[in-house]
Amino acid sequence: MTHTPAEPTVIIGSSGEQTEVIDARRADRGHRGGVLATVARAPFRLRTWKELGYLILSFVLGCVAVCYLFFGFGGGLYASIFLVGIPLLAVILLGGRVWGRIYRSLGGALLGIRVEAPPAFVRGPGLIGFLKSAFTDRVSWRAALFLLAQSVLGVVVGYVVLVVTAMVAFTAISPIPWLLVDPVQVDESGVERHSLVQFGSFYVDTWPRVLAMSGIGLALCFALPWLFRGVCWVHGMLITHLLAATPRDRQLAELRASRKAAVDDAAATLRRVERDLHDGTQARLVTIAMALGRAEERLATGGDPGDLVAEARAGAKEALTELRELVRGIHPPALELGLGPALETLTARCAVPVELRVHLPRRPSPAIEAIAYFSVAELLTNVVKHARATEVTVTVSPEGLRSLAITVRDNGIGGAQPSGTDAAGGSGLAGLAARAKAVDGTLTVDSPAGGPTVVTMVLPMAGPQ
């Protein structure tokens, strides 16, 4: 058989300009060297010892969990005959949450598997509500299923792995006990043999045999880490799928947070409207009423009320202007013509020159238009107050088939913090993020020190689904 050396491989870059020549033989040697180095280092890596520690702890905890399941659920089912066991079963089931917290902590500390905790238990009112909540708690049932799996994986498989580990370790160090303990075995002929291990009629009773067996044990020591890794991978899969928050849990948490943000935003808007009416328009109307009252008195005495009427007329015009601004803050009239014309009106009043680019094949829902309008207004206000920018670009364009992207870019000093200010009140970048999240949208901020700042908001065209 003739061996043909591998030819050098030519790789051409994507630009088509630079060419790199790689010797396939050297690459193959490097790959094999990397694999051998990885195998050689595996028994001495911290990860291997952490995984072994996890297997030991999961074996101990698995034994306790088996007792917990047997005596807890068994005793609860037996006591259910006297009705007292029903609340006991509920408590035992909810105890699975504690077990889940323990295994998540172990997985994070020893296996590097950090998962999001499921939502907290929500108790219903009264005893019946508590029992109903406990027996319908999906997190607790999944934790109980995890404990049941641990009775097999953690106890049975873990016991086999630990026994194999002990046997391999003993085989690797077998020359030491063979030399120090002086073990004696008697063969079929009654002859005493200085042997530590016997395989049928084969006795390990000489130095070459002892060293050969030790060599086999040492070789197996380099295979043990991969056994640990495989078993721990299965443990990690169980933790990820049974003890972590599910997509449904995360969606419910996001919906609760979005609902809270929407309620807080509506409350803040109502407070602002009330404050503006009380401090602005109401005070202006009181002034108009007082001016008209004095004009009426002057007219009754034969005086000229012209200046007071003019004052009342000017106050009425100012009150109308304030009311228009107030109504524009609630729902801009320009939005009746669409988001594009509304943004044109908004950017025309900005103190910084704004370039507006709007391309929308179809109109978003009214709620999305309002959120987009007020978000752009808030971002332009931030630019005027903090960015020290000389120009701003606002772009509104489709993002896929069901979303629109709003990008506000300025050439200011940058350094904008995504945390913003006062998320509850709906102001700042945090408030804008909460407002977007309330309709299943997103807000991203790219603002390195020195600028430029690019804020992108993606909103669904039809609102949250």
Side-chain angles (χ1 to χ4, degrees):
M1 180 175 180
T2 303
H3 174 70
T4 303
E7 295 295 331
T9 303
V10 180
I11 299 178
I12 301 178
S14 58
S15 61
E17 298 177 356
Q18 297 182 354
T19 303
E20 182 181 3
V21 179
I22 298 177
D23 190 341
R25 290 171 294 179
R26 284 183 296 173
D28 182 65
R29 286 197 299 268
H31 175 71
R32 285 182 293 177
V35 172
L36 291 176
T38 302
V39 173
R41 287 195 299 263
F44 309 101
R45 294 185 61 186
L46 181 60
R47 173 180 178 178
T48 299
W49 293 97
K50 282 186 174 181
E51 289 173 342
L52 176 59
Y54 180 85
L55 292 175
I56 295 173
L57 289 176
S58 67
F59 171 73
V60 175
L61 288 174
C63 294
V64 179
V66 169
C67 297
Y68 179 84
L69 292 174
F70 180 78
F71 291 106
F73 283 96
L77 288 173
Y78 176 77
S80 298
I81 302 174
F82 309 102
L83 299 181
V84 125
I86 297 178
L88 178 61
L89 277 175
V91 173
I92 293 297
L93 183 62
L94 290 176
R97 284 179 166 268
V98 179
W99 282 98
R101 192 177 301 116
I102 293 173
Y103 275 98
R104 282 194 302 272
S105 300
L106 285 178
L110 298 179
L111 302 182
I113 300 173
R114 288 173 174 82
V115 295
E116 182 183 356
F121 173 67
V122 180
R123 173 178 177 173
L127 178 60
I128 301 299
F130 166 74
L131 294 177
K132 181 180 179 181
S133 302
F135 288 118
T136 57
D137 185 37
R138 298 170 64 250
V139 176
S140 298
W141 284 108
R142 288 165 55 216
L145 182 60
F146 176 85
L147 292 180
L148 190 61
Q150 280 296 310
S151 65
V152 177
L153 182 63
V155 179
V156 179
V157 177
Y159 175 78
V160 172
V161 172
L162 294 179
V163 168
V164 170
T165 302
M167 293 175 62
V168 170
F170 179 78
T171 303
I173 64 171
S174 57
I176 298 176
W178 183 76
L179 182 63
L180 298 179
V181 178
D182 191 20
V184 176
Q185 294 188 15
V186 181
D187 62 11
E188 297 177 352
S189 303
V191 179
E192 292 185 352
R193 293 179 177 269
H194 180 50
S195 176
L196 189 66
V197 180
Q198 172 190 358
F199 300 98
S201 60
F202 181 82
Y203 292 86
V204 183
D205 55 354
T206 62
W207 272 111
R209 293 181 178 182
V210 171
L211 292 177
M213 187 177 74
S214 177
I216 294 173
L218 289 173
L220 291 176
C221 284
F222 292 94
L224 278 179
W226 310 105
L227 175 63
F228 299 162
R229 194 158 302 175
V231 177
C232 288
W233 179 81
V234 180
H235 278 277
M237 293 294 291
L238 287 176
I239 292 175
T240 302
H241 288 87
L242 294 179
L243 299 183
T246 63
R248 179 176 179 271
D249 295 332
R250 286 189 288 270
Q251 186 179 20
L252 287 176
E254 290 176 358
L255 287 176
R256 293 190 183 101
S258 300
R259 182 177 62 183
K260 182 179 183 301
V263 171
D264 292 342
D265 187 50
T269 302
L270 288 176
R271 288 194 300 268
R272 178 177 58 81
V273 171
E274 181 182 5
R275 182 178 62 250
D276 291 343
L277 286 175
H278 182 272
D279 298 340
T281 308
Q282 180 177 340
R284 189 76 60 189
L285 292 176
V286 170
T287 302
I288 293 172
M290 292 177 63
L292 291 176
R294 291 198 304 271
E296 185 179 9
E297 292 175 359
R298 186 177 296 182
L299 184 62
T301 57
D304 183 13
D307 57 337
L308 294 175
V309 172
E311 178 184 347
R313 182 184 302 154
K317 291 181 179 179
E318 293 176 358
L320 287 174
T321 302
E322 291 179 356
L323 283 175
R324 289 193 194 99
E325 293 295 331
L326 184 61
V327 170
R328 186 179 292 111
I330 299 173
H331 185 77
L335 278 178
E336 300 297 332
L337 301 177
L339 182 59
L343 291 179
E344 290 178 4
T345 304
L346 176 65
T347 54
R349 297 198 307 265
C350 185
V352 179
V354 180
E355 179 183 357
L356 178 63
R357 305 169 183 170
V358 179
H359 174 65
L360 289 177
R362 58 189 178 91
R363 287 191 64 173
S365 67
I368 297 301
E369 285 187 335
I371 291 176
Y373 177 89
F374 287 117
S375 298
V376 173
E378 179 72 25
L379 291 171
L380 292 179
T381 301
N382 289 343
V383 170
V384 173
K385 288 183 178 179
H386 310 295
R388 304 179 192 173
T390 58
E391 60 181 22
V392 185
T393 302
V394 178
T395 305
V396 182
S397 59
E399 181 79 8
L401 298 177
R402 301 182 179 180
S403 302
L404 63 91
I406 304 162
T407 303
V408 178
R409 180 189 180 94
D410 67 73
N411 63 346
I413 59 176
Q417 297 297 323
S419 56
T421 59
D422 190 17
S427 62
L429 294 177
L432 294 179
R435 189 179 298 175
K437 192 175 182 181
V439 292
D440 296 338
T442 59
L443 180 79
T444 57
V445 180
D446 182 13
S447 182
T453 296
V454 181
V455 180
T456 303
M457 177 179 283
V458 178
L459 301 174
M461 297 284 285
Q465 301 299 316

